[in-house]
Structure formats: structure tokens, C-alpha cells
Amino acid sequence: MWSGDELDLDAYLARIGMGGGGRELRPDLGTLYAVHRAHTGAITFESLDVLFGRPVGLDVKAVEDKLVHARRGGYCYEQNSLLAAALERIGFEVSGRGARNRTRGDALTPVTHAVLVVTVDGQPWLCDAGFGYQGPLEPVPLGDPGAEVRQGEWTYRVREETDGVLVLCFRRGGTWRDLYAFSPQRYHPVDYVLLNHYSSTHPRSAFIGRVIVQHPGDDVRRALVGRELLRLHPDGREERESVGADLLGVLDREFGLRLPERDAAELVRIHRAGD
């Protein structure tokens, strides 16, 4: 399903900091937690190729070349396609879901977010390495709706609505906020190709025409959208600052993202054009 047999698993594990252990990974809950947390810690959420007007490929080799070998980041379709291939290669049962973003108020949004459901010992777990700075660091259990899950300094829960719709919620400054909702319908890689086309080319897509780079840190969570850098603290405090000429320095210091020379020059050109 996810072309895990085509993935260079050793290179992927090295990229996320799990290489060189010499042990065989088993498809158990401990491995799922370790891989998910390592992936979200190592690979930054970013949609810069959309800003550059470049095609975003989702086949395994394209995602591997970009996120693993070139050490770039990616957005949800790339991140979770890579994670799905790795988990499948290890031996997990992985299926896709399509989610509606609920962070933008009460408006009904289209299904544009890709998430994964991984089954371990008969129990389903939500896995998502691609929701940016508010996304989970680790798998979230789906078999016990309403249960609060602590991940470092951050807390999540999943609540159930009608027709089997599940909603991932995030506690922010003492207030629960919906992140996204998804139905039991299974999505396949070909479905993500269609969603990716909309998100990377449609003029109404949130990713068109602006810088978006984010990371869900253990303590401080960071989001760069346009020219504003946001740092979110576990107590709900927000720090905001405008990013000017030091854009590349911010990407390096705040997100661990170092672009190749061509990409860096293109990003600086676009950034300066907005002055």
C-alpha cells in the first residue's frame, strides 16, 4: 500500500536519529512510539516548495530524496507518506484518513489534511507527523475516546462525534481546542495525490504565496507564517516577532532547517520582494 519495500529504511532511521543501534525493529507499541517521536523531532514541517511553485512529489523515492537525503522538511502528505512507508516496512498495519482542519474557527473546511491510523495488537492509534507546531509528538490512542494523553509538556485527547467522526483536541493555556476531525473512511496514497494537488496549486490553498515553517517542540512550539515568528509555551504564553533580513538565520536557529544554496537564494529573493 505505502511502497515500504522501496524505502531505504537505514537511511530513514539515520535521518531521525535512530540509526546505528544494530537491533531489529519489531512492529510493537514501543517501536511505534520511538519512531513517531524521533520523526517529529527531526524533520521540520515546511511547505517551501509550494511557495517556489515546484511540484510536490509523493512517491516514496521523491519523498525520501527530499526529506531524508536532502534533509529538507515537508508538509502533511510528504511527512505522513514517509512515515507510513517506514512503519509498513517495519511490519505495522497502516491505513490513511482524511481530516478537516478545525483551527480556523467554525467554518466548514474541506478535507485537506492527511493522517494515519496504525493498528497494534488490535488497537488503533492516530499517527501524524505533519500537522505543524500543534501536532502530536507521539501516537494518540483511538480506542478510548476522551482519555487525556500527556506528551511532555503538552496534552491531547480524542473525542467522538456522530457517525463515528473523531476529533483530535489540544490543550492550550488551559483551554481545549479542536485541531481536526476525521471519519472512519480509509484513504489510500492515490487520494493523497489528489489532496496534494489542491493544496500545492489551488489559489485558495493556505500554502500558496507565503512562507510556512513549523515545529512541535517538546517545550516551546514554533511557527513561522509569512513574516511572523510565533513561539508557543505550555502555559499558553505566546511570543511573536517580525522576521526581516535574518530569515535564513531564523530557519537555522529556530527550526534546524538549512536550505541548499539555490533554495536559500530563491527564498531570500521572494522575502525581499515583499518589502
Side-chain angles (χ1 to χ4, degrees):
M1 174 69 73
W2 302 99
S3 303
D5 57 326
E6 300 178 21
L7 177 70
D8 185 339
L9 184 60
D10 289 340
Y12 169 77
L13 293 174
R15 171 71 169 98
I16 65 174
M18 291 184 63
R23 65 185 179 91
E24 180 183 355
L25 295 178
R26 301 182 181 277
D28 56 28
L29 196 54
T31 297
L32 184 64
Y33 265 83
V35 171
H36 194 294
R37 177 169 271 276
H39 183 126
T40 55
I43 305 180
T44 297
F45 179 100
E46 51 109 332
S47 57
L48 296 178
D49 277 356
V50 178
L51 177 66
F52 298 152
R54 299 175 190 164
V56 178
L58 297 185
D59 61 278
V60 167
K61 285 305 179 184
V63 175
E64 179 186 308
D65 286 345
K66 179 181 174 182
L67 276 65
V68 176
H69 300 301
R71 304 186 70 82
R72 283 278 306 278
Y75 67 169
C76 68
Y77 312 112
E78 299 167 288
Q79 296 268 11
N80 286 328
S81 292
L82 178 62
L83 179 60
L87 294 176
E88 183 181 71
R89 177 69 177 271
I90 294 168
F92 288 99
E93 178 186 340
V94 185
S95 62
R97 299 290 188 274
R100 299 182 190 275
N101 190 319
R102 287 193 174 178
T103 65
R104 302 166 189 164
D106 295 330
L108 179 65
T109 62
V111 173
T112 56
H113 181 53
V115 303
L116 305 173
V117 173
V118 179
T119 303
V120 181
D121 296 329
Q123 296 299 311
W125 295 79
L126 173 67
C127 292
D128 184 5
F131 197 66
Y133 78 109
Q134 297 186 91
L137 301 169
E138 300 169 346
V140 178
L142 295 177
D144 187 16
E148 297 185 9
V149 179
R150 186 84 171 179
Q151 297 185 358
E153 298 295 322
W154 309 91
T155 306
Y156 294 85
R157 71 181 180 191
V158 172
R159 62 182 178 83
E160 187 172 6
E161 297 182 336
T162 58
D163 301 324
V165 171
L166 298 176
V167 183
L168 178 66
C169 307
F170 178 52
R171 190 159 64 195
R172 180 168 167 175
T175 301
W176 284 104
R177 304 190 184 193
D178 290 357
L179 295 183
Y180 54 75
F182 57 99
S183 73
Q185 179 185 350
R186 291 182 177 233
Y187 275 60
H188 305 287
V190 67
D191 298 314
Y192 292 159
V193 171
L194 185 63
L195 298 182
N196 176 52
H197 177 68
Y198 171 88
S199 294
S200 61
T201 65
H202 197 282
R204 294 183 64 183
S205 167
F207 298 103
I208 296 293
R210 60 178 178 169
V211 173
I212 299 180
V213 183
Q214 303 183 3
H215 193 265
D218 285 320
D219 46 7
V220 180
R221 296 187 171 223
R222 296 170 170 84
L224 175 63
V225 179
R227 293 172 174 267
E228 183 178 72
L229 174 64
L230 165 69
R231 297 185 189 91
L232 175 65
H233 296 264
D235 61 4
R237 254 184 325 116
E238 295 183 354
E239 299 173 356
R240 297 177 184 268
E241 66 179 72
S242 179
V243 175
D246 192 30
L247 174 60
L248 297 181
V250 168
L251 294 183
D252 188 0
R253 291 191 306 273
E254 301 283 346
F255 302 97
L257 184 62
R258 299 180 181 179
L259 298 176
E261 185 175 345
R262 183 189 69 154
D263 294 344
E266 177 69 2
L267 183 59
V268 168
R269 183 192 66 79
I270 294 172
H271 190 66
R272 287 175 176 170
D275 290 339

